[in-house]
């Protein structure tokens, strides 16, 4: 289904059949964006100008089509287009109107921040006559501006993509072919077609546009970005869901827009792969710290002592190839070997001490997600400039509370008017067989609710997980991604199913893993566990510090975690 903006059509005259055409365009695949009743308003020489296009259709690999819709019987006579009533059409008819709106859109983009994309994208126009069949069209004689190749007919109501593909294939005089990157496509959408959203786009933009409340630009985030414009080095702390990676990516993209290169460092390979696949930009190079060590030293395995020597040589020779450095999940860089070699400080000095480049070095981190190292890197502790993000913009209110509850009694700070969402569900099972059965039922229920982005996370390792024998190529049932909480850190999904939660998951050494796993869920969270009554009682008393008589430990643990508990027995 195409991404329709808005999701329901604007008000229209019933005789125009725009509602019928709107429904037909929803049949397009989900990589199409359709904007209904797209308006451009400008003031030139103190005179107001406005244009409205019935449908603007955008595809990042094909381009833009400005589509005018004309239903009912129309005619062309003596150089004029007429409605069936005999009233002349304004704007010299539908083809000239579509063409004019196309050129107004091109001009509008040229005057925007997305101006560079005009030469990288096809812009075409077309007219839809939903009351005219293909056979009728073939017998018509149209005016010079109305080539039949630019017409959609009644048959397009059943298969609009066939007609759009034909129009997209038309070769333009300037020979432009469309092949926008994901970042460029998102820039067109956020700068031109949906500027009112004011979001940092994430990888699945189609989902984000439907759940805008989770990706609104927070005032404090805007303040962080604006502050960083004049700050060459900073450490930015924020709990899970506060938008650290969104800001980090946006900062790197701003650098790229200025034709400056950025080294984007993280610790987890899955996060690095996700970012490089979904935010590809030739000016942004994504590496794990281990991958960068191998690259710089030309080795198969990371040798941080050798890496230190290479970086020191680059410092004195000025050979470091990047203008800026962004480090995400910086708390993971506190391992003993990285601290001994002082890698973060070295990379910082390579950037900041090179005054000719005037580069920047930013570290984003979360003290509560310290699960890959024993302590926060000394570089962060000693940082002169520290900022903190407070408001959660990823999770629903219920999920945010559930993820935070075992490590803090404080309520999470959320966006104003944040979605409350449904409570998390904790499924208590007595046996592994029941846990597997409950997992399958949970997946089926999630799918029935319309979720497609489903990830299964284990609090253990893959080899010690309940699912260790049911996984093929990192997928369960050949479809659903399965990995550990540690490896999925920095990523997120609409629906998370957390498994292998036991009594050890809530002890001081492991509770942060639970926090990381549950906080990955945007909209739906399910926890499948075989916790006994005795283990639940221990968690309630020792982790959650509950006092008083506890009658039903499982259900009371679920309630204490702000969740709905269900007990599945043999």
């Amino acid at each position: 289904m195409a991404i329709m903006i808005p999701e329901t059509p604007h008000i229209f005259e019933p005789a125009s059949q725009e509602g019928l055409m709107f429904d037909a365009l929803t049949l397009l695949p989900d990589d199409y964006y359709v904007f209904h009743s797209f308006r451009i308003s400008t003031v030139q020489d103190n005179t107001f100008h406005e244009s409205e296009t019935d449908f603007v259709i955008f595809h990042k690999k094909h381009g833009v089509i400005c589509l005018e819709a004309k239903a009912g019987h129309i005619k062309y006579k003596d150089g004029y287009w007429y409605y069936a009533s005999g009233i002349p059409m304004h704007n010299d008819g539908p083809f000239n109107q579509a063409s004019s709106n196309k050129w107004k859109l091109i001009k509008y983009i040229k005057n925007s921040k997305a101006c560079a994309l005009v030469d990288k994208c096809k812009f075409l126009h077309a007219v839809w006559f939903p009351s005219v069949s293909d056979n009728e069209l073939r017998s018509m004689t149209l005016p010079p501006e109305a080539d039949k190749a630019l017409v959609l007919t009644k048959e397009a109501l059943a298969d609009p993509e066939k007609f759009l593909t034909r129009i997209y294939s038309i070769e333009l005089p300037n020979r432009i072919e469309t092949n926008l990157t994901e970042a460029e496509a998102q820039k067109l959408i956020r700068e031109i077609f949906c500027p009112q959203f004011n979001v940092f786009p994430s990888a699945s933009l189609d989902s984000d546009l439907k759940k805008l409340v989770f990706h609104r630009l927070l005032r404090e985030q805007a303040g962080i970005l604006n502050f960083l414009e004049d700050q060459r080095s900073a450490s930015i702390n924020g709990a899970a869901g506060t938008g650290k990676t969104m800001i980090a990516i946006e900062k790197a993209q701003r650098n790229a827009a200025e034709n400056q290169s950025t080294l984007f460092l993280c610790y987890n390979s899955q996060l690095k792969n996700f970012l490089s696949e979904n935010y590809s930009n030739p000016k942004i190079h994504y590496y794990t710290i281990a991958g960068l060590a191998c690259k710089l030293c030309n080795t198969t395995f990371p040798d941080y002592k050798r890496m230190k020597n290479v970086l020191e040589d680059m410092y004195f020779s000025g050979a470091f190839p990047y203008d800026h450095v962004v480090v995400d999940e910086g708390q993971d860089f506190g391992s003993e070997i990285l601290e001994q070699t002082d890698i973060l400080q070295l990379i910082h000095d390579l950037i900041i001490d090179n005054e000719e480049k005037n580069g920047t070095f930013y570290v984003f981190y979360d003290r509560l997600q310290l699960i890959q190292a024993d302590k926060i890197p000394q570089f962060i502790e000693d940082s002169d400039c520290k900022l903190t993000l407070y408001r959660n913009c990823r999770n629903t209110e219920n999920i945010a509370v559930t993820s935070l509850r075992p490590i803090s009694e404080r309520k999470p700070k959320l966006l104003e008017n944040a979605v409350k969402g449904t409570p998390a569900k904790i499924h208590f099972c007595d046996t592994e067989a029941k846990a597997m059965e409950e997992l399958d039922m949970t997946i089926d229920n999630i799918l029935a609710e319309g979720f497609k982005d489903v990830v299964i996370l284990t609090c253990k390792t893959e080899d010690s997980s309940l699912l260790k024998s049911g996984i093929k190529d990192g997928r369960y049932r050949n479809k659903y991604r399965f990995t550990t909480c540690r490896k999925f850190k920095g990523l997120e999904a609409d629906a998370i199913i957390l498994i292998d939660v036991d009594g050890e998951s809530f002890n001081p050494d492991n509770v942060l893993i639970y926090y990381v796993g549950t906080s990955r869920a945007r909209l739906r969270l399910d926890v499948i566990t075989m916790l006994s009554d005795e283990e639940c009682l221990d968690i309630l008393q020792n982790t959650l510090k509950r006092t008083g008589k506890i009658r039903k430990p499982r259900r009371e643990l679920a309630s204490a975690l702000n969740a709905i508990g269900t007990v599945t027995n043999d």
Side-chain angles (χ1 to χ4, degrees):
M1 178 177 174
I3 307 301
M4 308 299 291
I5 309 296
E7 291 188 351
T8 57
H10 288 296
I11 297 174
F12 57 88
E13 289 292 332
S16 72
Q17 297 187 24
E18 285 186 38
L20 190 63
M21 289 179 275
F22 184 97
D23 291 341
L25 291 171
T26 64
L27 301 174
L28 293 168
D30 59 10
D31 49 358
Y32 280 86
Y33 291 84
V34 179
F35 302 89
H36 179 233
S37 189
F38 180 76
R39 298 183 180 183
I40 296 177
S41 299
T42 58
V43 176
Q44 296 179 346
D45 299 327
N46 207 36
T47 301
F48 180 77
H49 301 272
E50 183 178 34
S51 66
E52 179 180 356
T53 307
D54 292 330
F55 296 99
V56 174
I57 301 167
F58 172 62
H59 190 290
K60 71 176 183 180
K61 297 298 182 184
H62 303 319
V64 174
I65 294 176
C66 291
L67 180 62
E68 285 299 315
K70 295 300 178 196
H73 291 286
I74 59 176
K75 60 184 178 180
Y76 180 81
K77 182 180 179 181
D78 299 329
Y80 293 96
W81 287 87
Y82 295 90
Y83 293 105
S85 63
I87 298 174
M89 293 184 184
H90 67 288
N91 294 328
D92 297 324
F95 289 89
N96 285 329
Q97 183 178 356
S99 177
S100 176
N101 288 344
K102 174 188 68 177
W103 288 110
K104 288 176 183 177
L105 175 60
I106 292 172
K107 183 178 179 181
Y108 182 72
I109 297 173
K110 284 184 176 180
N111 292 328
S112 74
K113 296 179 182 178
C115 57
L117 302 182
V118 168
D119 294 329
K120 302 182 70 174
C121 181
K122 267 187 173 182
F123 289 84
L124 303 117
H125 67 275
V127 175
W128 196 344
F129 295 136
S131 305
V132 176
S133 69
D134 277 343
N135 287 335
E136 290 172 325
L137 178 66
R138 281 194 286 269
S139 65
M140 292 179 178
T141 301
L142 298 179
E145 79 271 13
D147 194 291
K148 294 178 182 179
L150 302 176
V151 176
L152 284 75
T153 58
K154 179 171 62 177
E155 285 77 8
L157 293 172
D159 185 12
E161 187 179 22
K162 173 184 174 182
F163 287 78
L164 296 180
T165 299
R166 184 195 69 205
I167 294 170
Y168 277 128
S169 69
I170 295 172
E171 191 170 285
L172 299 178
N174 56 16
R175 305 290 185 179
I176 286 178
E177 293 294 333
T178 304
N179 190 19
L180 298 173
T181 66
E182 185 64 28
E184 290 169 336
Q186 292 173 15
K187 187 176 182 69
L188 263 183
I189 291 170
R190 77 171 186 259
E191 295 289 346
I192 303 301
F193 299 123
C194 294
Q196 68 273 25
F197 288 123
N198 196 20
V199 298
F200 292 127
S202 63
S204 45
L205 184 60
D206 55 345
S207 175
D208 294 340
L209 288 171
K210 296 176 182 177
K211 294 166 282 191
L212 298 175
V213 69
F214 296 107
H215 293 275
R216 283 180 290 176
L217 176 57
L218 301 176
R219 288 176 181 168
E220 64 183 75
Q221 289 177 320
I224 290 285
L225 281 176
N226 294 336
F227 178 80
L228 292 181
E229 291 294 335
D230 299 314
Q231 189 71 25
R232 294 189 63 199
S233 178
S235 297
I236 300 98
N237 178 46
T242 52
K244 298 183 298 298
T245 301
M246 282 199 298
I247 299 174
I249 286 292
E250 180 68 11
K251 188 60 184 171
Q253 289 182 335
R254 289 188 181 189
N255 294 337
E258 299 295 327
N259 201 33
Q260 296 176 340
S261 61
T262 298
L263 170 63
F264 195 110
L265 277 177
C266 57
Y267 195 89
N268 287 347
S269 60
Q270 291 197 31
L271 176 59
K272 186 271 294 183
N273 293 338
F274 174 83
L275 294 175
S276 59
E277 290 170 6
N278 292 279
Y279 296 100
S280 175
N281 189 302
K283 286 294 182 177
I284 306 174
H285 293 186
Y286 300 96
Y287 282 98
T288 62
I289 186 63
L292 181 65
C294 294
K295 173 72 173 179
L296 293 179
C297 303
N298 195 25
T299 56
T300 304
F301 299 99
D303 184 338
Y304 294 111
K305 292 182 179 179
R306 187 173 175 182
M307 180 185 187
K308 177 182 180 180
N309 293 331
V310 172
L311 291 174
E312 287 175 342
D313 289 343
M314 287 182 169
Y315 181 90
F316 291 110
S317 66
F320 193 64
Y322 300 102
D323 300 307
H324 306 273
V325 172
V326 173
V327 180
D328 196 17
E329 302 293 333
Q331 73 279 351
D332 293 338
F333 289 68
S335 65
E336 184 177 356
I337 184 61
L338 289 176
E339 289 289 80
Q340 287 177 350
T341 50
D342 214 10
I343 295 297
L344 273 184
Q345 184 67 53
L346 262 173
I347 298 176
H348 168 274
D349 294 345
L350 279 164
I351 293 293
I352 301 304
D353 290 351
N354 189 336
E355 296 183 359
E356 291 183 6
K357 286 190 175 183
N358 195 35
T360 56
F361 183 93
Y362 304 123
V363 179
F364 296 82
Y365 69 103
D366 179 5
R367 291 185 178 276
L368 298 179
Q369 295 189 58
L370 187 61
I371 61 175
Q372 300 283 17
D374 295 328
K375 63 178 184 178
I376 295 292
Q378 195 61 42
F379 172 85
I380 293 176
E381 298 288 12
D382 295 341
S383 179
D384 291 332
C385 176
K386 294 180 181 178
L387 305 123
T388 302
L389 295 167
Y390 291 103
R391 297 197 181 276
N392 185 311
C393 59
R394 172 195 296 151
N395 315 116
T396 63
E397 180 179 343
N398 275 313
I399 290 174
V401 172
T402 298
S403 65
L404 194 61
R405 186 61 58 81
I407 60 176
S408 175
E409 276 295 324
R410 68 179 176 84
K411 291 187 66 175
K413 294 185 177 181
L414 300 159
L415 280 172
E416 184 180 354
N417 300 320
V419 173
K420 191 171 186 66
T422 57
K425 296 179 182 179
I426 301 182
H427 310 264
F428 294 96
C429 305
D430 287 337
T431 65
E432 287 192 2
K434 278 296 179 184
M436 290 295 298
E437 182 180 325
E438 195 69 18
L439 173 61
D440 287 330
M441 291 178 59
T442 299
I443 291 174
D444 292 340
N445 289 337
I446 290 173
L447 295 178
E449 292 179 16
F451 291 98
K452 296 180 181 179
D453 184 16
V454 183
V455 175
I456 305 169
L457 298 179
T458 173
C459 286
K460 306 294 185 182
T461 64
E462 288 99 331
D463 292 337
S464 61
S465 171
L466 172 71
L467 284 184
K468 61 183 177 182
S469 60
I471 302 301
K472 182 179 180 181
D473 298 327
R475 302 277 169 174
Y476 178 62
R477 286 166 41 172
N478 294 319
K479 185 175 182 180
Y480 304 104
R481 185 175 179 181
F482 169 75
T483 187
T484 69
C485 294
R486 292 178 184 271
K487 292 180 179 178
F488 201 66
K489 190 162 57 62
L491 299 171
E492 58 189 53
D494 284 349
I496 291 290
I497 303 174
L498 191 65
I499 65 172
D500 300 315
V501 176
D502 57 22
E504 293 183 358
S505 301
F506 293 89
N507 67 37
D509 293 331
N510 296 320
V511 71
L512 292 183
I513 296 177
Y514 163 91
Y515 166 71
V516 167
T518 52
S519 63
R520 302 304 97 195
R522 283 192 289 257
L523 299 169
R524 170 78 185 251
L525 173 63
D526 288 82
V527 178
I528 296 177
T529 177
M530 290 186 289
L531 284 168
S532 65
D533 280 341
E534 292 75 16
E535 288 174 313
C536 291
L537 184 63
D538 180 71
I539 295 167
L540 283 164
Q541 293 174 337
N542 296 317
T543 300
L544 300 177
K545 307 301 180 185
R546 296 304 164 100
T547 58
K549 191 173 181 65
I550 298 174
R551 299 180 184 277
K552 296 181 177 180
R554 290 179 174 180
R555 295 194 185 278
E556 290 187 41
L557 175 60
S559 178
L561 293 173
N562 188 51
I564 298 171
T566 62
V567 179
T568 304
N569 299 312
D570 280 325

